[in-house]
Amino acid sequence: MKFGVVVFPGSNCDHDTLFILQKVLCQEATFLWHKDHDLGRVGCVILPGGFSYGDYLRAGAIAKFSPLIEEVREFAERGGLVLGICNGFQILLELGLLPGAMLRNKNLKFLCQHVHVRVENARTAFTHRARPGQLLRIPIAHFDGNYYAPAETLHRLEASNQVVLRYVDENGEATEPANVNGSASNIAGLINAKGNVLGMMPHPERASEAVLGSRDGRLIFESIILWR
Amino acid sequence: MKVRILVSFKESVLDPQGQTVKNALHTLGYDFIKDVRQGKVFEVELQGLSEDQAQKVIPEIADKVLANPIIEKFSWEVLSEGKKVSRN
């Protein structure tokens, strides 16, 4: 599988993501400049973490007007795999490829810490290497990760197993204190109805080598690599 | 022509920044403050556009760019010398 990592002005996890894909997982991976109009022949597009356009206006709001994003939208509509990490998740929400929006963290603080997330749906292209209910220890680093969606949207997401990752404590319980940013229903990761677009706030690229304190994030990339 | 566009959270959305400002005001003794909602203001200068055209275009750009309709609402007004015309 060839990966394309989209680079916006202000992306800051693009190099980490490319490093993990190329050097740790030995995959073909390339940067894609946001002003380009061609995705090349990639099988998976990653919108990396960072602060595209300085988070001006709203996180992800300006990035959605980048020329390459139209290609990403068409790629997603054709069933191509798209993974949005942190700011990438925010961009997917602004684009409408995933439902809902991000609000400022409930405690109004930038949160940079390891969290536990529980794999709620292990049958997706992004999580099939995990066991159902498996706990992953992966860091978050964001100001706006407080997921919001209207009640009827939340019901629909739950009913169709689109909530893929949930913030939990070390025992795997989706408690209020474990829900560090205040997200609706402890939601940390969401997939679209078709199952080819995943957004997640935790950074799997920061948890893909033992030296980084956790290798749990590799499950996400390995799932994509081994999908079908 | 100059217009002012006001973007704020919908009533159904919790505004943690507004809540924090309210709590700070209570700490200072302003107990009569019942609620605070924080928003954004855009002052936009238009060129070569009639007011009728602006009426079409402003809601369009507010919806498409300035506000996220899932969580935010907007209102706007024309700012011209001496008169102020409010719209919602």
Side-chain angles (χ1 to χ4, degrees), chain A residues 117-177:
Chain A
V117 290
R118 190 174 66 203
V119 178
E120 304 290 86
N121 181 346
R123 290 188 308 273
T124 77
F126 307 90
T127 51
H128 65 99
R129 295 287 289 167
R131 294 184 311 277
Q134 185 171 345
L135 297 195
L136 307 178
R137 194 170 157 271
I138 305 184
I140 54 166
H142 60 248
F143 218 143
D144 302 275
N146 181 352
Y147 180 75
Y148 170 86
E152 61 272 21
T153 306
L154 290 173
H155 286 306
R156 182 166 49 82
L157 291 171
E158 297 283 1
S160 51
N161 289 320
Q162 285 175 253
V163 178
V164 173
L165 301 171
R166 226 186 281 274
Y167 299 107
V168 294
D169 62 18
E170 63 276 19
N171 302 313
E173 299 299 324
T175 59
E176 182 63 35

Side-chain angles (χ1 to χ4, degrees), chain A residues 44-126:
Chain A
C44 175
V45 172
I46 298 184
L47 303 178
F51 301 86
S52 57
Y53 295 93
D55 275 358
Y56 291 176
L57 190 58
R58 293 178 306 276
I62 308 289
K64 76 168 167 180
F65 299 113
S66 285
L68 194 71
I69 283 295
E70 262 324 293
E71 303 297 320
V72 174
R73 190 200 292 274
E74 281 171 29
F75 178 77
E77 277 163 11
R78 290 197 306 270
L81 297 181
V82 179
L83 170 63
I85 300 167
C86 194
N87 189 228
F89 187 6
Q90 294 162 337
I91 295 169
L92 290 174
L93 293 169
E94 282 284 340
L95 260 175
L97 283 178
L98 292 172
M102 288 297 180
L103 300 171
R104 190 123 288 195
N105 296 340
K106 68 177 172 188
N107 62 2
L108 300 178
K109 290 199 167 86
F110 185 92
L111 295 170
C112 185
Q113 63 193 74
H114 272 87
V115 295
H116 288 92
V117 290
R118 190 174 66 203
V119 178
E120 304 290 86
N121 181 346
R123 290 188 308 273
T124 77
F126 307 90

Side-chain angles (χ1 to χ4, degrees), chain A residues 57-58 94 100 103 108 148, chain B residues 20 40 65-66 68 70-71:
Chain A
L57 190 58
R58 293 178 306 276
E94 282 284 340
L103 300 171
L108 300 178
Y148 170 86
Chain B
T20 304
K40 295 174 193 160
V65 184
L66 303 181
N68 179 341
I70 298 168
I71 47 175

Side-chain angles (χ1 to χ4, degrees), chain B residues 8-67:
Chain B
S8 58
F9 285 119
K10 290 178 176 173
E11 300 306 325
S12 55
V13 175
L14 184 76
D15 170 13
Q17 294 182 93
Q19 291 291 308
T20 304
V21 173
K22 182 186 83 177
N23 294 343
L25 291 169
H26 283 176
T27 308
L28 292 174
Y30 299 106
D31 297 330
F32 51 85
I33 305 264
K34 200 173 152 216
D35 196 17
V36 177
R37 308 285 287 175
Q38 188 172 316
K40 295 174 193 160
V41 176
F42 301 86
E43 283 183 357
V44 181
E45 213 172 327
L46 307 172
Q47 196 176 284
L49 219 59
S50 71
E51 210 174 309
D52 278 355
Q53 287 168 316
Q55 278 208 50
K56 258 193 78 184
V57 170
I58 296 296
E60 194 180 306
I61 64 167
D63 232 17
K64 214 187 269 181
V65 184
L66 303 181

Side-chain angles (χ1 to χ4, degrees), chain A residues 28-44:
Chain A
E28 203 183 335
T30 179
F31 282 138
L32 299 169
W33 181 236
H34 74 113
K35 289 249 166 140
D36 286 344
H37 294 267
D38 186 8
L39 294 177
R41 302 177 66 84
V42 300
C44 175

